[in-house]
Amino acid sequence: MHKKTNIQINMKIFSNVYILKNSDCRITIFFTLILNIFPLLNSRDFSIIRDEIGSLASASALAGLDWSGVIQQTKYYGIGFNWIYAPLFRLLNNPYAVWIGIWIINAFLLALLSGLVHYIAHSFFNIKNRTAAITDSVLTGIILGGYKIYNEIG
């Protein structure tokens, strides 16, 4: 008889796409997405700190833009996570449009994170109270804020 390993059991989240099939996870993802994008509708201007600008330099470099002057003015520049924004720099010439695109990408990632948190709360911590699990999961996804440019994951 073949015994399942922890890796095989934990891969269930990917093979069955639990966070998309489970109705509570879909509710969690939907509310997190809406609550992260809603402030964008009211936004007319944006501010950004120097470190966040420096961390975007890797995405702009991947898109073929020269931000060497920007790097000289910042204390931090990161690589890796911000590369997901490179297509925005390649496709859009308007900095405000790039910022909105970053906000929307972050909102989607945080919504998926809240779905994953719901899965973990339900499957590993046995939180059976539906309202508590959904509320906690949504709060996890919105407390981070989709409007921020993250220098690194976590």
Side-chain angles (χ1 to χ4, degrees):
M1 180 161 293
H2 180 67
K3 184 179 176 184
K4 289 186 177 181
T5 64
N6 285 340
I7 293 173
Q8 289 171 328
I9 293 169
N10 291 336
M11 289 303 288
K12 175 184 175 189
I13 190 172
F14 299 110
S15 63
N16 292 331
V17 194
Y18 174 87
I19 62 173
L20 299 177
K21 284 185 175 182
N22 182 284
S23 64
D24 287 352
C25 281
R26 287 195 311 260
I27 291 168
T28 299
I29 289 169
F30 174 77
F31 278 115
T32 304
L33 186 62
I34 294 301
L35 291 172
N36 273 314
I37 289 181
F38 183 73
L40 180 62
L41 302 174
N42 228 2
S43 176
R44 298 289 178 255
D45 59 308
F46 66 96
S47 62
I48 190 168
I49 62 173
R50 213 183 301 179
D51 287 352
E52 290 175 341
I53 291 286
S55 68
L56 289 175
S58 62
S60 67
L62 189 62
L65 303 173
D66 181 19
W67 276 27
S68 56
V70 174
I71 291 292
Q72 294 173 358
Q73 302 298 320
T74 64
K75 295 179 181 178
Y76 180 89
Y77 57 93
I79 58 172
F81 176 70
N82 289 315
W83 288 3
I84 63 173
Y85 307 135
L88 296 174
F89 285 96
R90 187 77 172 169
L91 297 172
L92 305 171
N93 290 328
N94 183 342
Y96 187 71
V98 170
W99 181 70
I100 289 172
I102 288 170
W103 192 328
I104 291 170
I105 289 171
N106 286 346
F108 275 106
L109 292 174
L110 290 171
L112 290 176
L113 171 71
S114 68
L116 184 61
V117 167
H118 185 279
Y119 170 77
I120 291 169
H122 181 73
S123 298
F124 293 103
F125 295 112
N126 283 334
I127 297 177
K128 301 297 181 198
N129 185 331
R130 182 177 185 220
T131 305
I134 291 173
T135 304
D136 291 347
S137 301
V138 169
L139 287 175
T140 301
I142 63 170
I143 201 165
L144 297 171
Y147 60 90
K148 297 177 184 171
I149 297 170
Y150 297 102
N151 295 331
E152 57 270 317
I153 299 173

